Amino acid sequence: MSLLLILLIVLPLAASVLIMLGAAPRVMALGAAVLNLLISVALFARYDLTAGGWQFLSEWKILPKLGINMTLGADGLTLTMLLLASLVTLSAIWIAPKIDKREGVYYVCLLFISAGVIGAFASLDVLFLYSFHELALIPTFIMIGVWGSGDRQAAAWKATIYLGLGSFILLIGLLALYLSIPAVSRTMDLRQLDQMAAAGTFHPSSVIYLILLVGFGSLVSLFPFHSWAPPAYACAPAPTAMMHAGVLKKFGLYGLIRIALPLFPEAMHQFNGLLLLLVIGNILYIGYITVAQKRLDWTIGYSSVMHMGYIFLGLASLNIIGVNGAMILMFAHGLSVAAAFALCGEIRRRTGTLDYSELGGLAKVTPVLGLLFGFAAMASVGLPGFANFAGEILVFFGATAYGPAMILPVIVGVWGVVISAIYMLRAYRSTFWGPMMARWESLTDITPTALWSIILLLVPLMIVGFYPQLLVKMVTTAIPR
C-alpha cells in the first residue's frame, strides 16, 4: 500500500484542522501546498512508464458486498492532473492577498478545494470520485459569495444552481450505470468496469452515456450549459477562479475520459454528431461573445469556456492522437488560465477596476506585470513554445484523422484560434498599451511574491511546450485501446 496519494489528500485537511484550532492560516496553508507539490513531483518522477497501468495503489473496504471501496491509484493522466492541482494550489495560496475578514475560513476553503480535486483525480471508485468533487464544490460557492466582488451573491447562486443540477444529473447517470451491471458482479471500481467492458460482458445503455454527457458537460461548461461560468469567475476572488477554472472544471473532462471512453465506445460513435454540434457552439458562439466583452475578467472567463471546446474536440476524435491532445490541453489550459486570473487579480487590486474603458498604458508603470500577462495571453492563444500549442496541434491532427465528419469542426477550430488571438490581443492592448490615465501613474509593479507564484505556473507550460514528450508518454498510459 502506498501512502503518498493518501498524504496528498490528508495534508490539506490536516492543515485545515490546525487552522481551525488556531494555527497561523497562511503559514499552514502554504506549508501543506509546498509539501503536496513535492509529493506530486515525486510521484510523477517515480511512475514506471514501462509497466504502465495503475500504480501507488491503496484500498479500504467500505461496502464490499455492494462493490464499493475507497481505492486510490494513479496512472499517467492521474499524475498529470495531480501535478496540475498541486501547482495551481500553491500558486493560488501564495498569491492570495491580505484577508481582512475570516482569514482562517478563507484558507480552509482553499485547502478543502485542493483536497477535493486531488481526491477526485486519485479515486478509482466512481462513488468516491463523485463525492470528492462535491467536497470541492461547496467551498467554491462560499468563497464567491463571501469574498467575491461585483454581484457576487447572484453569481454564487447561479453557479450553485447550475452545478448542483449538473451534479444531480451526473449522480443519476452513475447510479443508472451501477444498476445496469449484473447483480452478481456489481462494482464501482473503474478497473473492474474497464475489464468487463473490454471482455465484452458489459454493455450499458447509450441513454446512460447521454445522461453522463449532460452531467459532466454541465460541470465543464459545455455549450449550452455554460452561462454560470463567466459571471462566477468574474466575481470570484482570484485564487478561487484559479482553482476552479484551472483545476476543478477539468473533473468533468476527466470523468468522461475515465468512464465514457472505455465503457461507452459505441454510444460515443452514435452521438458524436451531437457532441460536435455542441463543440462548434463552444468555439464559435462563445468565441464571438468573448470578443464583445468590455472587461478583462469577463474576457478571461468566456475564453476559459471557449477553450473547453478544443478539449471536447479532441475527445470527439475518438483516436489516440486526439485524446492525447485533449489530455495535454487539460494540463496546459489549467496553468495558463490560472496565470491569467492571477494577473487579473493583481490588476484589480491595484486599480480597483478591470473595465477596458478605464485601463490602458499600464505597461509604462507595471512592465513586469505586463510581460507576465503577455506570456499568459500567448500561451492561451496557443503560441508555439507553450504546452497549449502542443495540445491543440494533437487535437487537430486527431480530428482530421477521424474522417469527413470532422471537416467543419476542424475549420471552426482553426477559425477559433484566430478569434482567440483577436480577443486576447485586444485585452492586452486595452490593458497595457495606448494612452494611460493620469491616476495610474503612481501604480507599483508586481510584488516578488506574486511574481514567483505566476512563474511557478508559466515555467511548466514552457517546459512541456519545448518538450511535449514529457507529458505525451505519461497521458498515453491512460488511453483505452
Side-chain angles (χ1 to χ4, degrees):
M1 176 182 289
S2 171
L3 294 177
L4 292 178
L5 288 175
I6 304 168
L7 277 176
L8 282 177
I9 301 170
V10 168
L11 279 171
L13 297 178
S16 300
V17 171
L18 291 174
I19 290 171
M20 287 187 275
L21 292 175
R26 183 172 174 82
V27 173
M28 294 308 303
L30 272 175
V34 169
L35 288 174
N36 264 15
L37 179 57
L38 293 174
I39 294 172
S40 297
V41 172
L43 284 167
F44 194 89
R46 288 177 56 185
Y47 184 75
D48 187 348
L49 281 169
T50 55
W54 297 104
Q55 299 177 20
F56 313 114
L57 293 165
S58 52
E59 184 174 14
W60 293 266
K61 302 289 184 184
I62 305 295
L63 295 169
K65 290 184 178 178
L66 298 178
I68 298 172
N69 302 302
M70 183 174 174
T71 309
L72 302 179
D75 62 3
L77 175 59
T78 299
L79 292 173
T80 301
M81 291 294 101
L82 293 180
L83 186 60
L84 168 67
S86 300
L87 284 166
V88 175
T89 298
L90 178 55
S91 177
I93 292 174
W94 201 355
I95 205 169
K98 179 177 172 53
I99 309 301
D100 296 326
K101 58 179 180 181
R102 302 169 188 158
E103 183 187 20
V105 181
Y106 182 95
Y107 283 104
V108 166
C109 285
L110 280 177
L111 290 168
F112 265 77
I113 296 173
S114 178
V117 293
I118 288 171
F121 290 140
S123 291
L124 296 186
D125 187 283
V126 174
L127 179 64
F128 283 96
L129 181 144
Y130 175 86
S131 302
F132 273 116
H133 174 259
E134 297 307 298
L135 175 70
L137 272 186
I138 296 169
T140 304
F141 304 141
I142 295 172
M143 293 196 76
I144 296 173
V146 176
W147 292 279
S149 59
D151 199 359
R152 64 181 190 276
Q153 292 190 351
W157 275 112
K158 188 172 185 178
T160 302
I161 293 169
Y162 265 82
L163 296 180
L165 280 174
S167 294
F168 181 67
I169 293 170
L170 176 59
L171 182 60
I172 292 173
L174 295 177
L175 289 175
L177 176 66
Y178 178 75
L179 294 174
S180 69
I181 303 169
V184 292
S185 53
R186 275 181 185 154
T187 179
M188 296 292 261
D189 191 306
L190 286 171
R191 297 167 299 177
Q192 295 178 34
L193 290 172
D194 290 352
Q195 288 171 3
M196 287 193 287
T201 58
F202 179 43
H203 299 284
S205 165
S206 55
V207 175
I208 299 175
Y209 165 71
L210 283 179
I211 297 173
L212 294 178
L213 180 61
V214 172
F216 281 127
S218 301
L219 304 180
V220 186
S221 65
L222 174 66
F223 174 85
F225 315 110
H226 65 279
S227 64
W228 61 268
Y233 297 151
C235 295
T240 311
M242 292 167 68
M243 290 295 294
H244 196 283
V247 187
L248 188 53
K249 195 162 70 169
K250 306 299 182 294
F251 168 79
L253 298 159
Y254 184 81
L256 286 172
I257 292 172
R258 288 298 186 210
I259 298 172
L261 272 182
L263 303 186
F264 298 92
E266 294 174 3
M268 290 195 74
H269 278 286
Q270 183 182 351
F271 294 107
N272 215 25
L274 171 64
L275 180 57
L276 289 174
L277 280 177
L278 302 183
V279 166
I280 291 173
N282 249 99
I283 295 175
L284 205 57
Y285 175 71
I286 305 297
Y288 281 121
I289 290 181
T290 312
V291 172
Q293 297 309 305
K294 298 178 180 178
R295 288 176 56 90
L296 183 58
D297 48 356
W298 282 78
T299 300
I300 302 299
Y302 270 109
S303 77
S304 170
V305 176
M306 179 200 178
H307 279 88
M308 293 302 100
Y310 290 96
I311 302 175
F312 276 109
L313 181 62
L315 297 182
S317 70
L318 300 177
N319 56 54
I320 290 177
I321 300 174
V323 176
N324 222 326
M327 292 192 285
I328 292 174
L329 203 48
M330 286 166 63
F331 177 81
H333 176 268
L335 293 178
S336 59
V337 79
F341 276 122
L343 291 162
C344 266
E346 289 299 300
I347 296 168
R348 176 158 45 197
R349 196 177 309 158
R350 283 163 174 73
T351 63
T353 180
L354 290 172
D355 196 313
Y356 291 141
S357 64
E358 299 181 62
L359 299 174
L362 296 189
K364 296 172 185 172
V365 288
T366 60
V368 178
L369 200 157
L371 179 65
L372 291 173
F373 191 89
F375 275 99
M378 294 305 106
S380 176
V381 301
L383 195 76
F386 292 98
N388 310 62
F389 174 77
E392 287 182 8
I393 284 292
L394 287 173
V395 164
F396 283 131
F397 283 163
T400 52
Y402 181 84
M406 279 287 187
I407 292 176
L408 180 60
V410 168
I411 292 173
V412 169
V414 173
W415 181 240
V417 174
V418 177
I419 294 174
S420 63
I422 291 171
Y423 65 65
M424 199 53 81
L425 289 174
R426 172 175 171 263
Y428 194 30
R429 178 182 58 80
S430 301
T431 307
F432 291 99
W433 300 102
M436 183 184 70
M437 291 186 175
R439 60 175 163 152
W440 305 139
E441 289 178 355
S442 60
L443 289 184
T444 56
D445 206 349
I446 195 167
T447 63
T449 298
L451 171 67
W452 286 109
S453 66
I454 292 167
I455 287 177
L456 180 70
L457 302 173
L458 295 179
V459 168
L461 270 179
M462 299 183 73
I463 291 174
V464 177
F466 282 100
Y467 185 59
Q469 279 297 315
L470 184 67
L471 279 195
V472 171
K473 291 177 183 175
M474 292 294 286
V475 298
T476 301
T477 64
I479 299 177
R481 297 170 188 274

